[in-house]
């Protein structure tokens, strides 16, 4: 017989999921009600409004897709791209490559704009791509690259798309609530995110928002989206509000309780305060890491405060360090992905994980484990540097 | 400011979600760990084995899709159907129609075999469809139609598919754990279900299983599935076990804790005992409903014990009855869908909801509400009939 599963209490300082606050776990476990219950329908309306705040948008089509961020990505592509289209896809990490896969599975052509892993997307190169491909109908890029910790200039890229009559699809999985993201002010047309990063909700749901221009393009499609589950024309009918609500699928009721609670917490803190908190803890972390003799992959201007890619020092065993942090300290950090596999760690301070205590926990635990590996570190100096960064 | 959401404690006797046991809600709220944590990887292996038991299969490709049942449906079609294929689709309720949508979005042709809502799929008509369309490569049908409460003869239909060299795609959303379903013995090739029906887990996840024949067809595809998120070649890499595990998407960690717990509970009770429980409570419910002067839509032989479609008596206000049950008794039953909208209620006794106490609660509450509507009912006689059915 298989026994019940009792996970340990980890501190999650990887690329997501981040630590989920007790308030959110409590909401998650409230009694399940029907997905057509009038009270649940009210909850859905609340979630839409709270997501509009998080995305800084008035887009009517703002809702959580009932599946993880990669389904949110796919929802944007299958609804906005049709066979024969040209899409300019920026790749400076793992997720640009996944966008390309999506474009090609839609029967469209992906024009790739590539930048080094750890660099931001080059706005100039995207301008050149538009000049070479005036037929491009969509520009797709990642605002905050989870695989490298690099931010790109989403505002400039959205402006460039608009200037060339293209829609901008923006991956904001790691960006949302961690750094400024102004969907309406920047003119982003389709933006998807995930619940398990800076919202500090459980993984499994993907908030999305579509501009009026995007909705017009969806409604003008000659043939329906290739996905039934992700067809926004149908999803809209379900989330569309009021008495017009048409059954599409059974909403993940409890996961939406949790998302609601995490968005209520974001509203209570305020977006600007959340951004400032992420920045403050990031700066302290970097000060401490540098005091340990470590360096970051991304140039200061483009660093994401919520995700820090750190060069693995020579002679240090990547997997052994991560395993020791996990087993000795119940502390998770992320491995490098793709071009950074084996070369970098990804240290996340996302959402509820972005707290002063976690900065100290990480610095002291990492110093201890690096010390075991013969890489001598001064934990005291690291903590002192972090404390100084906080102004202590 | 939006306040936290506190749902009431409903008794869920609709078409799903069903009541979620406290054990499962407790598991759901355990601390989130990383989706690549070694302990989580062990949990995934447990879930695969427990799902193999629930499906009665040794299929290696047995796992939970990280999205609701309609995504599980789509996973079966996009992986097994290619443009130009012919698929025989049986429709005797809502979900056959959804299968057709899936087939057509894959660029294939759906040959429809239609039966009346409430009737089982006609095996003879399916035989005729295969005779007229020997090129058909897939047969798709619903084992337990959630919209009508009718069971179809899945064993005979799977045998027919095999006889004609076609794969059988089986919708077992409402069937799994409520009625016998023998994936290997019957030769079903791709079966999808949902967590929120007879497993009594929270909604949002879709268990699926694929036979070796199905896996061969997936591996022989000339071009990849049109969905990246649901591409089983990629999902297999993630769920494939051991050190070969490749990152695909972030698993819905807490939802999988809950699924694990609900499957542990199923294993503890035993499949046969669960089937017997559903049958026993169904028989008592029917005895009580008949004592109230109500009748069922489906003929006795084809009734699903877990979902009972009941004719709405003439002169009774459908919506008013459901609203009164919900507000006065915190009790949810389902409305009719499609051809049965306004004509039938759907009373579910699924999973944890299938309990003797709920039979009495439903009968007494329904009698009270029908009485308010001027449809005089003898609650005492209904309860007595139910008790007699239990042998009390």
């Amino acid at each position: 017989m298989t026994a019940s599963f009792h996970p340990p209490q980890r501190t999650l300082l990887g690329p997501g999921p981040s630590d989920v606050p007790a308030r959110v776990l409590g909401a998650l476990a409230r009694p399940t009600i029907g997905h057509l219950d009038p009270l649940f329908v009210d909850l859905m309306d609340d979630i839409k409004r709270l997501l509009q705040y998080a995305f800084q948008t008035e887009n009517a089509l703002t809702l959580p897709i009932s599946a993880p961020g990669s389904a949110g990505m796919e929802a944007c592509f299958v609804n906005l791209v049709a066979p024969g289209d040209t899409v300019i896809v920026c790749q400076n990490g793992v997720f640009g490559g996944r966008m390309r896969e999506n474009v090609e599975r839609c029967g469209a052509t992906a024009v790739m704009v590539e930048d080094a892993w750890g660099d931001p997307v080059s706005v100039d190169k995207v301008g050149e791509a538009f000049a070479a491909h005036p037929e491009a109908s969509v520009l797709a890029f990642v605002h905050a690259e989870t695989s490298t910790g690099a931010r790109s200039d989403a505002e400039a890229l959205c402006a460039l798309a608009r200037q060339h009559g293209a829609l901008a699809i923006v991956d904001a999985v790691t960006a949302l609530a961690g750094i400024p993201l102004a969907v309406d002010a920047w003119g982003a047309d389709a933006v998807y995110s995930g619940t398990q990063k800076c919202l500090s909700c459980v993984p499994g749901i993907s908030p999305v928002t579509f501009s009026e221009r995007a909705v017009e393009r969806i409604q003008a499609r000659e043939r329906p989206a290739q996905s039934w589950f992700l067809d926004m024309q149908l999803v809209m009918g379900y989330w569309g509000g009021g008495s017009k609500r048409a059954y599409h699928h059974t909403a993940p009721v409890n996961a939406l309780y949790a998302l609601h609670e995490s968005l209520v917490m974001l509203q209570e803190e305020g977006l600007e305060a959340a951004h400032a908190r992420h920045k403050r803890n990031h700066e302290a972390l970097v000060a401490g890491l540098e005091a340990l003799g470590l360096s970051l992959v991304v140039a200061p201007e483009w660093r994401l405060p919520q995700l820090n890619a750190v060069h693995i020092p020579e002679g240090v065993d990547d997997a052994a360090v991560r395993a020791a942090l996990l087993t000795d300290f119940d502390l998770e950090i992320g491995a490098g992905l793709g071009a950074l596999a084996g070369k970098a760690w990804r240290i996340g301070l996302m959402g509820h994980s972005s707290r002063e205590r976690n900065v100290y926990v990480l610095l002291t635990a990492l110093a201890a484990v690096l010390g075991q590996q013969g890489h001598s570190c001064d934990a005291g100096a690291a903590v002192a540097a972090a404390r100084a960064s906080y102004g202590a």
Side-chain angles (χ1 to χ4, degrees), chain A:
Chain A
M1 294 289 265
T2 304
S4 295
F5 179 70
H6 291 276
Q9 178 82 53
R10 305 286 201 208
T11 297
L12 301 177
L13 303 184
S18 55
D19 278 347
V20 180
R23 259 180 80 173
V24 172
L25 291 174
L28 183 64
R30 288 186 187 131
T32 306
I33 63 175
H35 61 111
L36 300 171
D37 193 305
L39 295 175
F40 188 70
V41 170
D42 291 346
L43 179 80
M44 290 165 76
D45 288 339
D46 265 4
I47 289 174
K48 282 176 67 171
R49 276 192 298 271
L50 290 163
L51 282 178
Q52 285 170 334
Y53 170 67
F55 277 123
Q56 292 287 286
T57 183
E58 294 182 4
N59 287 340
L61 189 53
T62 302
L63 53 84
I65 295 282
S66 302
S70 35
M73 176 190 288
E74 189 160 323
C76 292
F77 284 94
V78 298
N79 284 284
L80 295 176
V81 176
D85 285 357
T86 297
V87 178
I88 297 176
V89 175
C90 307
Q91 178 163 17
N92 61 336
V94 164
F95 294 93
R98 189 170 293 187
M99 286 174 152
R100 175 190 202 149
E101 281 274 359
N102 271 276
V103 168
E104 291 174 349
R105 288 177 196 229
C106 290
T109 301
V111 172
M112 301 304 292
V113 173
E114 302 197 31
D115 284 289
W117 288 49
D119 283 353
V121 171
S122 158
V123 178
D124 288 347
K125 285 195 211 166
V126 173
E128 289 160 20
F130 269 118
H133 294 278
E135 78 283 9
S137 57
V138 172
L139 168 68
F141 66 92
V142 179
H143 184 197
E145 231 322 325
T146 318
S147 62
T148 68
R151 178 176 65 83
S152 288
D153 187 344
E155 183 171 11
L157 290 166
C158 288
L160 204 49
R162 189 148 293 218
Q163 189 184 320
H164 288 89
L167 298 180
I169 294 181
V170 182
D171 178 322
V173 170
T174 288
L176 186 69
I179 52 173
L181 166 65
V183 168
D184 284 2
W186 297 351
D189 293 294
V191 186
Y192 57 91
S193 189
T195 46
Q196 80 282 13
K197 309 278 185 179
C198 296
L199 293 178
S200 269
C201 185
V202 289
I205 303 291
S206 177
V208 297
T209 185
F210 291 83
S211 72
E212 276 185 38
R213 293 201 311 163
V215 171
E216 281 162 18
R217 187 162 315 173
I218 293 170
Q219 286 170 338
R221 286 186 72 94
E222 281 175 22
R223 58 183 204 184
Q226 63 201 37
S227 171
W228 186 91
F229 174 59
L230 299 173
D231 182 342
M232 292 309 296
Q233 300 229 48
L234 302 176
V235 176
M236 266 187 249
Y238 180 46
W239 278 85
S243 54
K244 289 175 297 180
R245 211 170 290 266
Y247 167 61
H248 178 252
H249 67 277
T250 301
V253 173
N254 291 68
L256 294 180
Y257 294 167
L259 174 59
H260 181 269
E261 190 68 20
S262 68
L263 292 169
V264 167
M265 289 176 72
L266 177 63
Q267 185 190 234
E268 287 171 3
E269 179 177 21
L271 265 179
E272 287 179 16
H275 299 156
R277 173 171 53 82
H278 280 90
K279 183 166 182 289
R280 192 165 62 243
N281 291 318
H282 159 74
E283 287 168 353
L285 175 73
V286 171
L289 290 172
E290 288 175 349
L292 289 177
L294 299 171
S295 64
L296 274 77
V297 170
V298 176
E301 187 186 352
W302 300 106
R303 283 178 192 163
L304 291 173
Q306 63 269 52
L307 189 61
N308 303 274
V310 179
H311 290 294
I312 299 174
E314 219 159 309
V316 166
D317 181 338
D318 169 21
V321 168
R322 287 185 288 107
L325 288 173
L326 198 64
T327 53
D328 299 347
F329 294 92
D330 271 323
L331 194 161
E332 178 178 277
I333 65 169
L337 265 187
L340 295 177
K343 297 181 183 160
W345 293 310
R346 289 179 298 154
I347 300 176
L349 292 175
M350 296 180 171
H352 188 58
S353 293
S354 176
R355 280 177 291 163
E356 184 170 347
R357 52 154 274 176
N358 286 344
V359 171
Y360 301 139
V361 167
L362 182 280
L363 291 172
T364 49
L366 188 58
V369 171
L370 286 174
Q372 288 161 11
Q373 290 258 330
H375 186 90
S376 106
C377 283
D378 185 343
V383 167
R387 282 176 59 82
S389 169
Y390 285 119

